[in-house]
Structure formats: C-alpha cells, structure tokens
Amino acid sequence: MDKTRSQPTEEAMSLLKAAREVRENAYAPYSKFKVGAAVRGASGVIYRGVNVENVAYPEGTCAEAGAIAAMIAAGETELIEVAVIADSPTPVPPCGGCRQKLAEFGRAETPVTLATTDGDRLETTIGDLLPGRFDMSHMDKA
Ligand code: THU
C-alpha cells in the first residue's frame, strides 16, 4: 500500500470529516469497534455509512457497505473518493469483501483515505487495495 503523509486535499478532508462524524452512530455492541465510512458520488454528494452488527454475528454489515448502499439508493452508481475511519492503532484497512464492493463502483485510481481517530492517515487507491480485481472481462472467454 502506498503510504503518504502529504497534505490531503480539501475534498479528502471534508469526506474524512463526514466519516468521522457518522462513525459515532455505528452499531457495534459486540466488537465495540465502530467504523465510519463516506463515499463521494460523481455528483459531488457525500454518502455515509457505519457498521451495523447483529447478535447473529455473520449478519453484521461493514461501514463501507452502508455508504455504498446509501449512494445506490440515492440513484448514483459511481464513486470518486472514499474515506474510512476507526479507533484502530493504524489507519483501518477495509476488509476483503469491502475492497471488492468499492471496486464495483470506483476506478483503480480512485483515492481512498484510511484513518485512525487519533489523526493518523494513509492515502491509497482502490487499485492498490485490490490488485488483480475480478471484473466483467474475466467472464468473457471468446
Ligand atoms: N468493519 C467495517 O465496518 N469495515 C471494515 O472494513 C473492517 C471491519 C467492522 C465490521 C465489524 O462490525 C467490526 O468492524 C469488527 O470487525
């Protein structure tokens, strides 16, 4: 993963702020690990998501999935920027499934900011998070 400590863009900072704020609403009584995510649709609108756990543990959903669902429900299908934040020792890495979900709606070069609540940040991209992604071309044999 490309680790950058450079000054983030204003857009990246506003997206991270949205993720930080919505994280407070995460429902994580089992893991106690609250995650906030925000994606910016191609229109510029920000969509937010949090992890929503369940007493039947596998039924829980990740923050990234929630933000993507909000974007799709609003009628947008392209995301141009992502931010994820948690109270983790290092900037929180999206799980494997969420990497594939982000790749469905973003591009390889789409910027992703991963952060801790202490202010540590890591700037990366969807392509760096999921090299060799499975896509439509893998279903074309001809
Ligand atoms: N979690 C997320 O919301 N996003 C990730 O990418 C990593 C994990 C959540 C799922 C679960 O509610 C908690 O963090 C602990 O795994």
Side-chain angles (χ1 to χ4, degrees), residues 85-117:
I85 187 167
D87 185 15
S88 49
T90 56
V92 61
C95 77
C98 284
R99 294 175 193 222
Q100 185 72 36
K101 289 184 179 82
L102 291 169
E104 180 76 17
F105 302 106
R107 296 165 184 257
E109 62 274 17
T110 300
V112 180
T113 300
L114 306 177
T116 70
T117 50

mmCIF file of all heavy atoms in Angstrom, residues 85-117:
data_model
loop_
_atom_site.group_PDB
_atom_site.id
_atom_site.type_symbol
_atom_site.label_atom_id
_atom_site.label_comp_id
_atom_site.label_asym_id
_atom_site.label_seq_id
_atom_site.Cartn_x
_atom_site.Cartn_y
_atom_site.Cartn_z
ATOM 1 N N ILE A 85 -12.768 5.425 8.663
ATOM 2 C CA ILE A 85 -12.099 5.764 9.920
ATOM 3 C C ILE A 85 -12.561 4.854 11.055
ATOM 4 O O ILE A 85 -13.729 4.447 11.103
ATOM 5 C CB ILE A 85 -12.344 7.257 10.277
ATOM 6 C CG1 ILE A 85 -11.502 7.669 11.485
ATOM 7 C CG2 ILE A 85 -13.824 7.545 10.511
ATOM 8 C CD1 ILE A 85 -11.451 9.183 11.703
ATOM 9 N N ALA A 86 -11.618 4.519 11.933
ATOM 10 C CA ALA A 86 -11.937 3.713 13.116
ATOM 11 C C ALA A 86 -10.907 4.025 14.198
ATOM 12 O O ALA A 86 -9.863 4.628 13.928
ATOM 13 C CB ALA A 86 -11.916 2.223 12.776
ATOM 14 N N ASP A 87 -11.201 3.591 15.410
ATOM 15 C CA ASP A 87 -10.275 3.785 16.530
ATOM 16 C C ASP A 87 -9.299 2.619 16.548
ATOM 17 O O ASP A 87 -9.307 1.792 17.446
ATOM 18 C CB ASP A 87 -11.073 3.867 17.841
ATOM 19 C CG ASP A 87 -10.181 4.186 19.022
ATOM 20 O OD1 ASP A 87 -9.025 4.615 18.796
ATOM 21 O OD2 ASP A 87 -10.632 4.005 20.163
ATOM 22 N N SER A 88 -8.474 2.549 15.514
ATOM 23 C CA SER A 88 -7.526 1.445 15.372
ATOM 24 C C SER A 88 -6.102 1.974 15.539
ATOM 25 O O SER A 88 -5.875 3.175 15.387
ATOM 26 C CB SER A 88 -7.717 0.775 14.008
ATOM 27 O OG SER A 88 -7.753 1.743 12.993
ATOM 28 N N PRO A 89 -5.152 1.093 15.830
ATOM 29 C CA PRO A 89 -3.771 1.554 16.051
ATOM 30 C C PRO A 89 -3.124 2.117 14.789
ATOM 31 O O PRO A 89 -2.242 2.965 14.863
ATOM 32 C CB PRO A 89 -3.031 0.307 16.542
ATOM 33 C CG PRO A 89 -3.952 -0.839 16.360
ATOM 34 C CD PRO A 89 -5.328 -0.336 16.094
ATOM 35 N N THR A 90 -3.547 1.613 13.637
ATOM 36 C CA THR A 90 -3.051 2.122 12.356
ATOM 37 C C THR A 90 -4.280 2.385 11.476
ATOM 38 O O THR A 90 -5.351 1.832 11.747
ATOM 39 C CB THR A 90 -2.144 1.078 11.657
ATOM 40 O OG1 THR A 90 -2.887 -0.138 11.519
ATOM 41 C CG2 THR A 90 -0.874 0.825 12.449
ATOM 42 N N PRO A 91 -4.158 3.222 10.438
ATOM 43 C CA PRO A 91 -5.310 3.517 9.582
ATOM 44 C C PRO A 91 -6.026 2.233 9.160
ATOM 45 O O PRO A 91 -5.411 1.308 8.642
ATOM 46 C CB PRO A 91 -4.687 4.257 8.403
ATOM 47 C CG PRO A 91 -3.517 4.956 9.011
ATOM 48 C CD PRO A 91 -2.957 3.978 10.017
ATOM 49 N N VAL A 92 -7.337 2.215 9.399
ATOM 50 C CA VAL A 92 -8.097 0.964 9.298
ATOM 51 C C VAL A 92 -8.190 0.448 7.848
ATOM 52 O O VAL A 92 -8.666 1.158 6.961
ATOM 53 C CB VAL A 92 -9.507 1.160 9.910
ATOM 54 C CG1 VAL A 92 -10.306 2.221 9.198
ATOM 55 C CG2 VAL A 92 -10.265 -0.144 9.982
ATOM 56 N N PRO A 93 -7.733 -0.772 7.600
ATOM 57 C CA PRO A 93 -7.825 -1.304 6.236
ATOM 58 C C PRO A 93 -9.193 -1.925 5.975
ATOM 59 O O PRO A 93 -9.680 -2.694 6.801
ATOM 60 C CB PRO A 93 -6.738 -2.386 6.204
ATOM 61 C CG PRO A 93 -6.557 -2.810 7.617
ATOM 62 C CD PRO A 93 -7.057 -1.709 8.515
ATOM 63 N N PRO A 94 -9.843 -1.580 4.860
ATOM 64 C CA PRO A 94 -11.124 -2.218 4.538
ATOM 65 C C PRO A 94 -10.956 -3.733 4.422
ATOM 66 O O PRO A 94 -9.918 -4.212 3.970
ATOM 67 C CB PRO A 94 -11.495 -1.618 3.180
ATOM 68 C CG PRO A 94 -10.713 -0.368 3.069
ATOM 69 C CD PRO A 94 -9.449 -0.595 3.833
ATOM 70 N N CYS A 95 -11.980 -4.488 4.818
ATOM 71 C CA CYS A 95 -11.907 -5.950 4.699
ATOM 72 C C CYS A 95 -11.930 -6.326 3.214
ATOM 73 O O CYS A 95 -12.234 -5.500 2.349
ATOM 74 C CB CYS A 95 -13.060 -6.601 5.457
ATOM 75 S SG CYS A 95 -14.646 -6.513 4.616
ATOM 76 N N GLY A 96 -11.619 -7.569 2.940
ATOM 77 C CA GLY A 96 -11.541 -8.032 1.551
ATOM 78 C C GLY A 96 -12.838 -7.819 0.789
ATOM 79 O O GLY A 96 -12.831 -7.367 -0.358
ATOM 80 N N GLY A 97 -13.954 -8.166 1.433
ATOM 81 C CA GLY A 97 -15.245 -8.009 0.757
ATOM 82 C C GLY A 97 -15.522 -6.566 0.417
ATOM 83 O O GLY A 97 -16.053 -6.254 -0.660
ATOM 84 N N CYS A 98 -15.180 -5.660 1.320
ATOM 85 C CA CYS A 98 -15.427 -4.234 1.062
ATOM 86 C C CYS A 98 -14.535 -3.712 -0.057
ATOM 87 O O CYS A 98 -14.922 -2.814 -0.804
ATOM 88 C CB CYS A 98 -15.234 -3.417 2.335
ATOM 89 S SG CYS A 98 -16.637 -3.612 3.447
ATOM 90 N N ARG A 99 -13.339 -4.270 -0.182
ATOM 91 C CA ARG A 99 -12.469 -3.852 -1.291
ATOM 92 C C ARG A 99 -13.144 -4.174 -2.623
ATOM 93 O O ARG A 99 -13.134 -3.383 -3.559
ATOM 94 C CB ARG A 99 -11.103 -4.537 -1.191
ATOM 95 C CG ARG A 99 -10.353 -4.066 0.030
ATOM 96 C CD ARG A 99 -9.040 -4.804 0.256
ATOM 97 N NE ARG A 99 -8.561 -4.509 1.594
ATOM 98 C CZ ARG A 99 -7.301 -4.256 1.921
ATOM 99 N NH1 ARG A 99 -6.369 -4.292 1.009
ATOM 100 N NH2 ARG A 99 -6.976 -3.977 3.159
ATOM 101 N N GLN A 100 -13.723 -5.368 -2.702
ATOM 102 C CA GLN A 100 -14.419 -5.750 -3.939
ATOM 103 C C GLN A 100 -15.657 -4.868 -4.151
ATOM 104 O O GLN A 100 -15.967 -4.470 -5.262
ATOM 105 C CB GLN A 100 -14.816 -7.227 -3.879
ATOM 106 C CG GLN A 100 -15.434 -7.764 -5.164
ATOM 107 C CD GLN A 100 -14.434 -7.939 -6.305
ATOM 108 O OE1 GLN A 100 -13.282 -8.303 -6.090
ATOM 109 N NE2 GLN A 100 -14.860 -7.650 -7.525
ATOM 110 N N LYS A 101 -16.355 -4.542 -3.072
ATOM 111 C CA LYS A 101 -17.551 -3.687 -3.194
ATOM 112 C C LYS A 101 -17.162 -2.292 -3.671
ATOM 113 O O LYS A 101 -17.836 -1.704 -4.525
ATOM 114 C CB LYS A 101 -18.277 -3.596 -1.841
ATOM 115 C CG LYS A 101 -18.983 -4.880 -1.423
ATOM 116 C CD LYS A 101 -19.755 -4.659 -0.129
ATOM 117 C CE LYS A 101 -20.504 -5.919 0.305
ATOM 118 N NZ LYS A 101 -19.650 -6.890 1.018
ATOM 119 N N LEU A 102 -16.077 -1.741 -3.135
ATOM 120 C CA LEU A 102 -15.625 -0.411 -3.568
ATOM 121 C C LEU A 102 -15.209 -0.457 -5.038
ATOM 122 O O LEU A 102 -15.510 0.460 -5.812
ATOM 123 C CB LEU A 102 -14.456 0.068 -2.699
ATOM 124 C CG LEU A 102 -14.814 0.393 -1.237
ATOM 125 C CD1 LEU A 102 -13.550 0.601 -0.411
ATOM 126 C CD2 LEU A 102 -15.715 1.629 -1.150
ATOM 127 N N ALA A 103 -14.541 -1.543 -5.434
ATOM 128 C CA ALA A 103 -14.063 -1.671 -6.813
ATOM 129 C C ALA A 103 -15.223 -1.720 -7.810
ATOM 130 O O ALA A 103 -15.081 -1.304 -8.958
ATOM 131 C CB ALA A 103 -13.194 -2.923 -6.953
ATOM 132 N N GLU A 104 -16.368 -2.211 -7.367
ATOM 133 C CA GLU A 104 -17.541 -2.291 -8.255
ATOM 134 C C GLU A 104 -17.976 -0.903 -8.734
ATOM 135 O O GLU A 104 -18.444 -0.759 -9.854
ATOM 136 C CB GLU A 104 -18.700 -2.957 -7.492
ATOM 137 C CG GLU A 104 -19.992 -3.112 -8.273
ATOM 138 C CD GLU A 104 -19.946 -4.246 -9.288
ATOM 139 O OE1 GLU A 104 -19.048 -5.115 -9.187
ATOM 140 O OE2 GLU A 104 -20.803 -4.262 -10.188
ATOM 141 N N PHE A 105 -17.795 0.098 -7.880
ATOM 142 C CA PHE A 105 -18.351 1.425 -8.180
ATOM 143 C C PHE A 105 -17.289 2.507 -8.369
ATOM 144 O O PHE A 105 -17.632 3.656 -8.661
ATOM 145 C CB PHE A 105 -19.332 1.828 -7.071
ATOM 146 C CG PHE A 105 -20.451 0.830 -6.922
ATOM 147 C CD1 PHE A 105 -20.484 -0.047 -5.844
ATOM 148 C CD2 PHE A 105 -21.441 0.742 -7.881
ATOM 149 C CE1 PHE A 105 -21.491 -0.996 -5.713
ATOM 150 C CE2 PHE A 105 -22.459 -0.200 -7.768
ATOM 151 C CZ PHE A 105 -22.486 -1.064 -6.688
ATOM 152 N N GLY A 106 -16.006 2.145 -8.177
ATOM 153 C CA GLY A 106 -14.935 3.119 -8.353
ATOM 154 C C GLY A 106 -13.965 2.650 -9.418
ATOM 155 O O GLY A 106 -14.167 1.619 -10.060
ATOM 156 N N ARG A 107 -12.893 3.415 -9.628
ATOM 157 C CA ARG A 107 -11.846 3.059 -10.582
ATOM 158 C C ARG A 107 -10.592 2.675 -9.809
ATOM 159 O O ARG A 107 -10.476 2.987 -8.627
ATOM 160 C CB ARG A 107 -11.507 4.258 -11.458
ATOM 161 C CG ARG A 107 -12.648 4.731 -12.333
ATOM 162 C CD ARG A 107 -12.316 6.118 -12.869
ATOM 163 N NE ARG A 107 -13.421 6.639 -13.638
ATOM 164 C CZ ARG A 107 -13.452 6.678 -14.973
ATOM 165 N NH1 ARG A 107 -12.425 6.275 -15.667
ATOM 166 N NH2 ARG A 107 -14.503 7.150 -15.598
ATOM 167 N N ALA A 108 -9.637 2.084 -10.505
ATOM 168 C CA ALA A 108 -8.377 1.687 -9.854
ATOM 169 C C ALA A 108 -7.708 2.907 -9.219
ATOM 170 O O ALA A 108 -7.126 2.823 -8.139
ATOM 171 C CB ALA A 108 -7.448 1.018 -10.857
ATOM 172 N N GLU A 109 -7.798 4.073 -9.885
ATOM 173 C CA GLU A 109 -7.102 5.272 -9.390
ATOM 174 C C GLU A 109 -7.935 6.088 -8.398
ATOM 175 O O GLU A 109 -7.493 7.139 -7.924
ATOM 176 C CB GLU A 109 -6.666 6.152 -10.575
ATOM 177 C CG GLU A 109 -7.783 6.692 -11.436
ATOM 178 C CD GLU A 109 -8.230 5.731 -12.550
ATOM 179 O OE1 GLU A 109 -7.913 4.525 -12.480
ATOM 180 O OE2 GLU A 109 -8.921 6.194 -13.478
ATOM 181 N N THR A 110 -9.138 5.634 -8.071
ATOM 182 C CA THR A 110 -9.992 6.372 -7.125
ATOM 183 C C THR A 110 -9.296 6.499 -5.772
ATOM 184 O O THR A 110 -8.900 5.493 -5.176
ATOM 185 C CB THR A 110 -11.343 5.644 -6.949
ATOM 186 O OG1 THR A 110 -11.985 5.581 -8.217
ATOM 187 C CG2 THR A 110 -12.238 6.369 -5.955
ATOM 188 N N PRO A 111 -9.149 7.737 -5.249
ATOM 189 C CA PRO A 111 -8.446 7.917 -3.980
ATOM 190 C C PRO A 111 -9.235 7.419 -2.772
ATOM 191 O O PRO A 111 -10.458 7.589 -2.706
ATOM 192 C CB PRO A 111 -8.225 9.428 -3.890
ATOM 193 C CG PRO A 111 -9.117 10.045 -4.886
ATOM 194 C CD PRO A 111 -9.518 9.009 -5.891
ATOM 195 N N VAL A 112 -8.505 6.806 -1.846
ATOM 196 C CA VAL A 112 -9.086 6.278 -0.602
ATOM 197 C C VAL A 112 -8.255 6.801 0.561
ATOM 198 O O VAL A 112 -7.031 6.639 0.571
ATOM 199 C CB VAL A 112 -9.066 4.735 -0.576
ATOM 200 C CG1 VAL A 112 -9.668 4.208 0.718
ATOM 201 C CG2 VAL A 112 -9.801 4.151 -1.781
ATOM 202 N N THR A 113 -8.910 7.438 1.532
ATOM 203 C CA THR A 113 -8.222 7.859 2.758
ATOM 204 C C THR A 113 -8.624 6.919 3.875
ATOM 205 O O THR A 113 -9.814 6.758 4.167
ATOM 206 C CB THR A 113 -8.615 9.301 3.144
ATOM 207 O OG1 THR A 113 -8.259 10.180 2.083
ATOM 208 C CG2 THR A 113 -7.884 9.736 4.416
ATOM 209 N N LEU A 114 -7.633 6.277 4.497
ATOM 210 C CA LEU A 114 -7.865 5.413 5.654
ATOM 211 C C LEU A 114 -7.330 6.162 6.863
ATOM 212 O O LEU A 114 -6.267 6.784 6.786
ATOM 213 C CB LEU A 114 -7.127 4.076 5.479
ATOM 214 C CG LEU A 114 -7.451 3.337 4.168
ATOM 215 C CD1 LEU A 114 -6.611 2.064 4.059
ATOM 216 C CD2 LEU A 114 -8.937 3.018 4.079
ATOM 217 N N ALA A 115 -8.061 6.128 7.976
ATOM 218 C CA ALA A 115 -7.651 6.974 9.097
ATOM 219 C C ALA A 115 -7.920 6.326 10.443
ATOM 220 O O ALA A 115 -8.738 5.410 10.574
ATOM 221 C CB ALA A 115 -8.389 8.305 9.011
ATOM 222 N N THR A 116 -7.211 6.834 11.436
ATOM 223 C CA THR A 116 -7.494 6.498 12.833
ATOM 224 C C THR A 116 -8.161 7.710 13.472
ATOM 225 O O THR A 116 -8.013 8.836 12.974
ATOM 226 C CB THR A 116 -6.210 6.205 13.633
ATOM 227 O OG1 THR A 116 -5.493 7.436 13.793
ATOM 228 C CG2 THR A 116 -5.311 5.198 12.930
ATOM 229 N N THR A 117 -8.848 7.480 14.584
ATOM 230 C CA THR A 117 -9.485 8.608 15.274
ATOM 231 C C THR A 117 -8.428 9.512 15.922
ATOM 232 O O THR A 117 -8.736 10.641 16.308
ATOM 233 C CB THR A 117 -10.474 8.114 16.342
ATOM 234 O OG1 THR A 117 -9.820 7.144 17.153
ATOM 235 C CG2 THR A 117 -11.703 7.495 15.703
#
